[in-house]
Amino acid sequence: MEIPREKLRWIYERMVLIRAFEDRVAQEFAAGKLPGFVHLYAGEEAIAVGVCAHLTDRDYITSTHRGHGHCIAKGVDVKAMMAELFGKATGVCKGKGGSMHIADVDKGMLGANGIVGGGPPIACGAGLMAKTLGTDQVAVCFLGDGAAEQGTTHEAMNLAAIWKLPVVFVCENNLYAESTPWTYHCAAPDIASRAAAYDMPGVLVDGTDVFAVYEAAGEAIARARRGEGPTLLECRAFRYYGHFQGDAVSYRTPEEEAAYRQRDPIQRFRETVLSQGLLSEDELDAIDAAVQHEISEAVRFAESSPLPPPEDCLTDVYVSYPVEQLAFRH
Amino acid sequence: MVVTTRVLSYRQAINEALRLEMRRDPTVILMGEDVAGGATIKHIEQEGAWGGPLGVTKSLVSEFGRQRVLDTPISEAAFIGAAVGAAVTGLRPVAELMFVDFFGVCMDQIFNQGAKLRYMFGGKAKVPMVIRTMIGAGFGAAGQHSGCHYSVFAHMPGLKAVAPATPYDAKGLLIAAIRDDDPVMFFEHKMLYDMTGEVPEGDYVVPIGKADVKREGSDVTIVAISRMVHIALEAAKRLSGEGIEAEVVDLRSLSPLDEDAVLSSLAKTRRLVVVDEDNPRCSVAADIAALAVDKGFDYLDAPVKLVTAPHTPVPFSPSLERYYIPTPERVVAAVREIV
Ligand SMILES: Cc1ncc(C[n+]2csc(CCOP(=O)(O)OP(=O)(O)O)c2C)c(N)n1
Ligand SMILES: [Mg+2]
């Protein structure tokens, strides 16, 4: 598949931005500046970026607890994301959601999700909207290998199939659900073949190769836009950090982790575009520098932003509701 | 008999209760996501990886093996339902619902199956299972990992519900829950895991359905649940400086409820404040207030005050979360209104 030069630049910039964002978040978390649970996407950049390269702001995605990469690939503002992680009023969710519930509906990003398996039915709903209103929008549902064992995932795949909804299920198989290997939690030899049970195409993709993801996702999304129904993609990749920040990762060996880096998605992209003369080294280095600057700016913005006023706890619960009944009783 | 006690954390007390009951009764099994961790991975097959996300079930797999400490897929409806089925047919499963907020995924198995089978079968079955689950705000874990929600379960006929506030109570109540022949929801507050206290060696039972007076006082009764017991005790300390002696009643069991303990304290102090981290509408706190006006009306010299979370989900930002969680200041203010 021929990828326009501007798109290639965008793909590289987004992957590097995700990596830089996650590496910086890891530092800030270690420094005790971020509350709560943080799940990092480093190592899996090619999946979010290769898929979202085919989407516009009008298309929808649902995400997972590991959602920063999906946000960035979908074009959510990085400053507002960083501020959200810091719990600031300028955060993309005004400090109400944090890392695990980061979302931006205006960008078609229907939320990271604290509930494993929470996203697939919602993606069906977005697909149903497009089908009902006769638009050409699609919904992409990102889910983990662990989420593939949740009942909601199977119900959603069946529903999308019988209604021929414009939904693409992208299963990010990073080999583990927390400390549990996917070969233990999954009875099937691969997740993609489960698509057969719902009479939809199922494709196993190298999730560290952004070109492979781009191509597979392109076909699936085009099929969805044509009204031919859902597809299941299983993209295999590695998560570089622990399950969450603070995970001692005793279940992996140093050799296993070192092997991951041999297939680093960003490095692979660089090698491919340089060897084929598609982009120049200077160009890539300039993108790297711009990204570093953007991340520093995002952290500066987040740190200098105010915390939300405490009473904001009571806003946004409903569209309309008697305020005095939201507050405390006494 | 000399009972040796030592200082354990709330986390260790729970771990010890599980260990002792698993030793005593081979039908007790444990299941949940990563309760051992690292299933099938050679170098940790024996000792496990996580022992639960916050290490509560750590090392149980080394002693009892993977036959009895079962890592599950992320399929709560299936494995909690399997716990129901195993309980009806002869095991005593302890299933871990990692965070109580996840109950939405598997509520049918809890509510329509586990809780109702005995009744619908005309008493011909029992469901001796425990669901251990984490509750509570304060961790910055936001809307889907921070709720208390025990009111939802206390509302349901067929389920028992307990929420210990100390390491001693955690161990004794968990042993009681495992031995109980009904399904018991066991609520562990995530902010209490590192709290330490005296815990006797060996097994003992804290009876389900019995509250505990954690501080005696004569001017006002503060009924509290789980972590809020410590907030109430802190408030009582401050009030004491003002010459107000508060009695702090730790509910411990939410269903059944120790009505006598609440009413007899009320008979003494004639004033009641309830402190509850759960949302206020149709809550345990509201239930206690109803008890006071129904069966304790003649004792009351002042309105009942509820200090609860607001009617909102749990927010992420520290400034918002601090506002959400009841504080000693708010308890003190509520007491001052009625004393
Ligand atoms: C319903 C539900 N059950 C359990 C959890 C706890 N949990 C959070 S992430 C996770 C593992 C998810 O694994 P996977 O789907 O493979 O995604 P990954 O973390 O590997 O990206 C679990 C068990 C949860 N958040 N929601
Ligand atoms: Mg995974």
Side-chain angles (χ1 to χ4, degrees):
Chain A
M1 198 183 275
E2 188 77 17
I3 306 179
R5 193 184 155 74
E6 264 320 296
K7 192 61 114 187
L8 282 175
R9 287 176 53 90
W10 179 88
I11 285 171
Y12 183 72
E13 188 258 346
R14 288 288 120 178
M15 289 205 295
V16 173
L17 188 56
I18 294 171
R19 177 70 55 89
F21 187 90
E22 298 297 59
D23 287 346
R24 185 63 185 261
V25 168
Q27 276 178 32
E28 300 296 322
F29 186 88
K33 292 193 211 160
L34 307 180
F37 291 107
V38 170
H39 306 82
L40 300 179
Y41 194 70
E44 306 182 47
E45 296 87 351
I47 308 174
V49 174
V51 170
C52 292
H54 299 282
L55 304 179
T56 73
D57 285 357
R58 296 186 60 249
D59 295 315
Y60 287 102
I61 65 169
T62 62
S63 169
T64 71
H65 52 286
R66 202 174 300 291
H68 309 161
H70 305 137
C71 280
I72 292 174
K74 199 67 176 60
V76 179
D77 180 58
V78 169
K79 276 186 173 166
M81 282 179 64
M82 194 64 87
E84 185 62 30
L85 267 56
F86 275 76
K88 297 301 180 73
T90 53
V92 64
C93 304
K94 301 187 224 161
K96 285 211 172 77
S99 167
M100 247 190 316
H101 310 104
I102 194 161
D104 188 355
V105 176
D106 294 340
K107 286 280 176 188
M109 170 30 181
L110 296 174
N113 212 309
I115 302 298
V116 171
I122 292 173
C124 285
L128 180 62
M129 173 284 296
K131 185 171 169 151
T132 305
L133 300 182
T135 75
D136 72 344
Q137 289 156 287
V138 299
V140 172
C141 169
F142 292 99
L143 64 144
D145 51 282
E149 321 309 358
Q150 196 63 289
T152 47
T153 301
H154 291 268
E155 294 177 26
M157 288 200 287
N158 188 59
L159 193 70
I162 65 162
W163 287 347
K164 279 199 177 349
L165 298 176
V167 178
V168 178
F169 298 93
V170 178
C171 181
E172 305 179 307
N173 186 347
N174 58 11
L175 314 185
Y176 295 91
E178 297 183 341
S179 72
T180 299
W182 81 278
T183 47
Y184 171 80
H185 70 61
C186 179
D190 58 68
I191 292 167
S193 61
R194 286 179 169 177
Y198 307 107
D199 198 26
M200 66 171 87
V203 189
L204 185 59
V205 186
D206 178 354
T208 65
D209 177 356
V210 73
F211 297 99
V213 175
Y214 182 86
E215 185 159 343
E219 269 177 44
I221 289 167
R223 180 180 137 86
R225 286 202 209 281
R226 287 194 305 268
E228 291 170 22
T231 301
L232 170 62
L233 305 181
E234 175 187 354
C235 302
R236 297 246 175 111
F238 312 109
R239 77 164 145 72
Y240 286 177
Y241 289 96
H243 170 69
F244 49 34
Q245 292 313 94
D247 178 4
V249 209
S250 65
Y251 46 92
R252 297 196 302 218
T253 59
E255 298 78 57
E256 176 179 350
E257 297 194 353
Y260 292 178
R261 305 277 174 166
Q262 301 301 308
R263 288 171 55 194
D264 182 76
I266 294 173
Q267 208 47 46
R268 291 184 67 178
F269 178 92
R270 271 188 87 105
E271 282 159 16
T272 305
V273 295
L274 290 176
S275 69
Q276 297 184 13
L278 300 170
L279 297 175
S280 74
E281 189 136 26
D282 288 349
E283 210 170 357
L284 297 177
D285 292 348
I287 290 174
D288 289 350
V291 160
Q292 288 308 328
H293 180 71
E294 186 171 354
I295 294 298
S296 304
E297 284 302 301
V299 172
R300 212 188 325 273
F301 174 75
E303 285 191 313
S304 61
S305 291
L307 286 166
E311 313 74 52
D312 275 12
C313 180
L314 304 179
T315 60
D316 303 320
V317 186
Y318 296 91
V319 173
S320 67
Y321 200 83
V323 173
E324 66 283 4
Q325 291 191 27
L326 293 169
F328 317 108
R329 281 267 172 83
H330 83 88
Chain B
M1 196 180 75
V2 182
V3 180
T4 321
T5 72
R6 59 268 115 89
V7 172
L8 290 188
S9 69
Y10 186 88
R11 173 191 282 109
Q12 289 168 320
I14 292 168
N15 185 285
E16 186 165 282
L18 293 168
R19 189 181 298 279
L20 293 177
E21 284 309 285
M22 290 183 81
R23 279 183 192 159
R24 201 181 70 92
D25 179 352
T27 67
V28 177
I29 61 162
L30 221 60
M31 55 174 142
E33 291 139 15
D34 301 86
V35 287
T40 70
I41 299 176
K42 270 210 182 63
H43 74 275
I44 45 167
E45 183 67 5
Q46 187 94 64
E47 83 255 33
W50 274 20
L54 299 184
V56 178
T57 51
K58 203 155 183 69
S59 81
L60 291 173
V61 69
S62 326
E63 180 169 347
F64 302 105
R66 293 200 177 255
Q67 292 280 79
R68 291 179 69 198
V69 182
L70 294 149
D71 282 345
T72 66
I74 310 173
S75 310
E76 285 86 359
F79 77 78
I80 291 196
V84 173
V88 174
T89 56
L91 297 184
R92 286 189 180 269
V94 179
E96 176 173 306
L97 178 61
M98 195 181 287
F99 291 79
V100 70
D101 315 68
F102 306 166
F103 76 74
V105 176
C106 54
M107 200 53 150
D108 181 68
Q109 294 297 324
I110 300 173
F111 164 63
N112 275 314
Q113 315 304 331
K116 295 181 186 170
L117 288 191
R118 177 177 174 77
Y119 186 77
M120 298 186 301
F121 294 2
K124 282 191 188 152
K126 54 182 189 169
V127 190
M129 65 183 281
V130 177
I131 299 179
R132 291 179 42 243
T133 190
M134 243 192 288
I135 60 170
F139 208 85
Q144 294 170 340
H145 284 68
S146 303
C148 281
H149 303 307
Y150 38 66
S151 301
V152 172
F153 299 87
H155 181 73
M156 293 176 174
L159 296 178
K160 293 175 180 171
V162 300
T166 64
Y168 176 91
D169 287 342
K171 179 174 168 184
L173 271 173
L174 184 50
I175 291 176
I178 293 170
R179 294 182 189 176
D180 200 279
D181 281 339
D182 290 310
V184 181
M185 297 295 305
F186 188 88
F187 296 101
E188 303 169 12
H189 201 296
K190 61 175 82 67
M191 300 305 283
L192 293 179
Y193 281 131
D194 292 328
M195 187 200 161
T196 56
E198 295 278 329
V199 178
E201 279 180 356
D203 63 1
Y204 64 91
V205 160
V206 169
I208 294 176
K210 287 275 169 266
D212 184 41
V213 175
K214 290 282 195 285
R215 180 188 198 278
E216 297 206 8
S218 51
D219 299 325
V220 60
T221 296
I222 307 178
V223 172
I225 301 162
S226 185
R227 184 181 178 214
M228 292 300 110
V229 170
H230 304 288
I231 300 293
L233 287 169
E234 173 59 30
K237 206 163 84 189
R238 295 187 198 178
L239 287 162
S240 184
E242 302 176 15
I244 299 171
E245 294 306 328
E247 177 143 302
V248 176
V249 178
D250 174 0
L251 220 43
R252 297 199 298 201
S253 288
L254 314 173
S255 176
L257 193 64
D258 192 348
E259 299 192 351
D260 290 345
V262 175
L263 292 171
S264 61
S265 180
L266 191 53
K268 180 162 90 173
T269 66
R270 313 190 81 84
R271 289 172 168 80
L272 177 62
V273 171
V274 187
V275 193
D276 181 3
E277 194 190 315
D278 208 346
N279 302 115
R281 204 161 280 287
C282 302
S283 61
V284 176
D287 199 27
I288 303 289
L291 170 71
V293 294
D294 179 0
K295 298 186 185 166
F297 190 74
D298 292 339
Y299 304 136
L300 283 172
D301 282 349
V304 177
K305 291 288 162 192
L306 306 186
V307 179
T308 69
H311 182 63
T312 75
V314 183
F316 168 68
S317 176
S319 64
L320 304 177
E321 197 186 35
R322 273 196 297 274
Y323 179 86
Y324 179 94
I325 304 169
T327 56
E329 292 73 30
R330 284 181 55 214
V331 178
V332 166
V335 168
R336 282 206 197 108
E337 276 186 49
I338 57 168
V339 175

